[in-house]
Amino acid sequence: MEGIEHREVKVNGINMHLAEKGEGPVILFLHGYPELWYSWRHQILALSSMGYRAVAPDLRGYGDSDAPDSVDSYTCFHLVGDLVELIDVVAPDERKVFVVGHDWGALLAWYLCMFRPDKVKALVNLSVPFVRFSREVKPIDAWKSHYGSDHYMYRFQAPGEIEAEFAEIGMDRVMKEYLIDFPVLLPKGKLFERSADDPLTLPCWLSEEEANYYVTKFQKSGFTGPLNYYRNLDRNWELLAPWTGCEIKTPTKFIIGDKDLVYHMPGMKDYIHNGGFKEDVPSLQEVVVMEGVAHYINMEKPDEINHHIYNFFRQFD
C-alpha cells in the first residue's frame, strides 16, 4: 500500500481513522459490512494516480475509528453527521466532493445525498440501490417475513447474542467465511454452511495476507460497532418518516454483480430495471450489472470498477 497516508481526525464527537493518497478533487470512499478502509485499497492506488485525492475512512465502530458503546449512537443521523464533518475536514475549500459507496457505505451515501445534497458532486454506488421504504411494515419484520428468523438482519438484533456465537467460532474463521461468501442465513448452532473443521479456500481476488488484515483489525475492535448499524434499522425507519417519497437528485451511477446476494433479494431486480429505481433517483445515469461477480465487487473486479468510477466522475471535474 505504498504511499497511502493514515491519520486520525475528530468528527462529530469521535476520532475517525482515514487512509488517503493523491492530489486533486476528493473522492470519499465508504466501505460496507464487515469491512474497513482497506476494501478500497485498489481504488485508492488507482484513482490517486488519475488526478484525484482518494480518502477512505474506517466508519464509526470499525477498525481504528472510535466505537461508542451505546446502540443509540449508530443511527443514520450519527453516521451521516460523521460524513458531513469529515467532508468539511478533508475538503474545506471544496463545496462538494465525489462519493463512492459499497453495501452499508452505499446506504450511507444515499442518506448523505438525501440529507445534504449540497455536499456531493456525483455518486457511484455499488451493490445496494436506493430503496424506497414502506411505511406499512418495519424493516426487520419485513426481512423476517421473507426469510424467517435465521435471516442475518434478524439474528443481529439482540445485543451480544451473535457476538458470543462468533466468539465461539473464532475471529479468523468468521472473517474468512464472510469474505468468501456473505451468508444470508445464520442458523443457531450452525452459522455457516461449512463445518468448523472444513478447510477454507480464499477466493482468487483475496490473498491470505489481505484476509489476515481484516482478522487482525476485527480482533482488536470486535463486531459490536458494525452490528449496531443493523440494530438501528427499525429506529432509522422511524426517524426517516419525514423523508418518505424524497428523491435523490445527485448524478449517480450504480453497479452491482449478478451473483450479489442483494441483487437476488425479493423484488430487487424488478425495482432496479423496471422504473422504480429511476423514479426515486431521477439523475440515475447508468446501471451496470457485472456478470459472474458477487458482493465484494470492488475487490473482485478492481480494474473495471476503477474505470467505471473514473469515466463517470471525469464528466464533473
Side-chain angles (χ1 to χ4, degrees):
M1 297 294 100
E2 186 176 343
I4 296 179
E5 298 180 352
H6 297 264
R7 62 177 168 134
E8 192 175 87
V9 297
K10 190 85 171 179
V11 296
N12 199 22
I14 66 166
N15 295 308
M16 178 170 278
H17 163 257
L18 54 89
E20 57 188 336
K21 181 177 170 65
E23 300 291 337
V26 169
I27 302 177
L28 180 61
F29 291 93
L30 307 176
H31 68 77
Y33 170 89
E35 301 178 69
L36 301 161
W37 76 266
Y38 190 67
S39 293
W40 299 111
R41 58 197 179 278
H42 305 297
Q43 286 68 45
I44 293 171
L45 295 177
L47 274 300
S48 65
S49 72
M50 298 175 182
Y52 292 93
R53 181 179 167 206
V55 178
D58 283 334
L59 296 174
R60 173 182 290 241
Y62 282 88
D64 292 320
S65 292
D66 285 352
D69 292 333
S70 172
V71 174
D72 295 337
S73 295
Y74 294 82
T75 70
C76 56
F77 292 142
H78 290 85
L79 302 172
V80 174
D82 296 347
L83 301 181
V84 171
E85 290 200 17
L86 179 60
I87 291 169
D88 290 340
V89 169
V90 301
D93 299 324
E94 296 182 44
R95 195 167 65 85
K96 298 184 176 186
V97 299
F98 294 113
V99 177
V100 181
H102 172 252
D103 186 80
W104 258 101
L107 185 58
L108 296 184
W110 294 124
Y111 290 158
L112 177 62
C113 292
M114 188 160 65
F115 302 152
R116 293 298 303 272
D118 60 304
K119 292 291 185 183
V120 185
K121 193 181 300 183
L123 172 67
V124 174
N125 257 351
L126 312 177
S127 183
V128 175
F130 180 81
V131 179
R132 63 185 71 160
F133 33 92
S134 165
R135 301 313 303 170
E136 305 301 319
V137 59
K138 291 186 175 182
I140 298 305
D141 289 338
W143 292 119
K144 185 183 178 185
S145 70
H146 281 298
Y147 289 102
S149 58
D150 288 339
H151 188 253
Y152 72 98
M153 293 191 200
Y154 182 77
R155 293 279 280 115
F156 289 171
Q157 294 307 301
E161 184 175 297
I162 198 73
E163 291 97 321
E165 294 178 50
F166 285 166
E168 286 184 20
I169 296 170
M171 188 63 73
D172 185 88
R173 184 80 187 196
V174 170
M175 281 306 308
K176 289 174 182 176
E177 287 278 10
Y178 263 114
L179 291 166
I180 291 168
D181 182 22
F182 194 108
V184 176
L185 302 178
L186 293 170
K188 288 186 179 180
K190 188 172 173 31
L191 293 184
F192 303 107
E193 291 183 2
R194 290 169 285 265
S195 75
D197 300 325
D198 290 344
L200 293 177
T201 301
L202 294 175
C204 61
W205 47 265
L206 186 71
S207 71
E208 192 73 28
E209 182 182 8
E210 290 171 324
N212 286 336
Y213 184 89
Y214 291 93
V215 173
T216 300
K217 290 299 181 182
F218 272 81
Q219 281 174 334
K220 174 191 168 189
S221 60
F223 269 95
T224 297
L227 292 169
N228 283 342
Y229 287 50
Y230 292 94
R231 291 169 182 151
N232 275 282
L233 284 171
D234 281 353
R235 177 65 174 146
N236 289 341
W237 177 86
E238 296 171 358
L239 295 171
L240 288 168
W243 285 270
T244 302
C246 187
E247 296 177 348
I248 303 294
K249 296 180 179 178
T250 305
T252 301
K253 182 173 191 171
F254 179 73
I255 311 168
I256 193 169
D258 68 350
K259 293 187 175 180
D260 194 321
L261 73 158
V262 178
Y263 195 53
H264 297 278
M265 288 178 174
M268 192 63 73
K269 292 179 188 176
D270 178 69
Y271 174 76
I272 290 172
H273 297 296
N274 292 331
F277 193 12
K278 178 70 173 175
E279 184 179 322
D280 291 338
V281 188
S283 294
L284 178 67
Q285 296 191 10
E286 187 178 4
V287 171
V288 177
V289 179
M290 297 180 67
E291 292 185 8
V293 184
H295 186 61
Y296 301 105
I297 190 168
N298 48 309
M299 291 191 281
E300 294 179 48
K301 296 293 181 182
D303 292 343
E304 290 94 325
I305 294 299
N306 295 341
H307 284 105
H308 278 300
I309 294 169
Y310 175 73
N311 289 333
F312 187 63
F313 285 165
R314 68 178 181 176
Q315 306 171 59
F316 305 96
D317 284 345

Coordinates of all heavy atoms in Angstrom, one line a residue, residues 24 46 57 91 181 225 310:
G24 N -5.8 16.5 -5.8 CA -6.9 16.8 -6.7 C -8.2 16.8 -6.1 O -8.3 16.8 -4.8
A46 N -5.4 3.4 -7.6 CA -5.7 3.7 -9.0 C -6.2 5.2 -9.2 O -5.6 5.9 -10.0 CB -6.7 2.8 -9.5
P57 N -12.3 6.4 5.0 CA -12.3 6.2 6.5 C -12.6 4.8 6.9 O -13.3 4.1 6.1 CB -13.4 7.2 6.9 CG -14.3 7.2 5.8 CD -13.5 7.0 4.5
A91 N -11.9 18.4 2.9 CA -12.1 19.2 1.7 C -12.7 20.6 2.1 O -13.8 21.0 1.6 CB -13.0 18.5 0.7
D181 N -17.9 -15.8 1.2 CA -19.3 -15.9 0.7 C -20.3 -15.3 1.8 O -20.6 -16.0 2.8 CB -19.7 -17.4 0.5 CG -21.1 -17.6 -0.1 OD1 -21.6 -16.6 -0.6 OD2 -21.6 -18.7 0.0
G225 N -19.8 -2.7 17.2 CA -20.0 -1.4 16.5 C -20.7 -1.7 15.1 O -21.7 -1.1 14.9
Y310 N -13.7 6.4 -12.7 CA -13.0 7.5 -13.4 C -13.8 8.0 -14.5 O -14.0 9.2 -14.7 CB -11.7 7.0 -13.9 CG -10.9 8.0 -14.7 CD1 -10.3 9.1 -14.1 CD2 -10.8 7.8 -16.1 CE1 -9.6 10.0 -14.9 CE2 -10.2 8.8 -16.8 CZ -9.6 9.9 -16.2 OH -8.9 10.8 -17.0

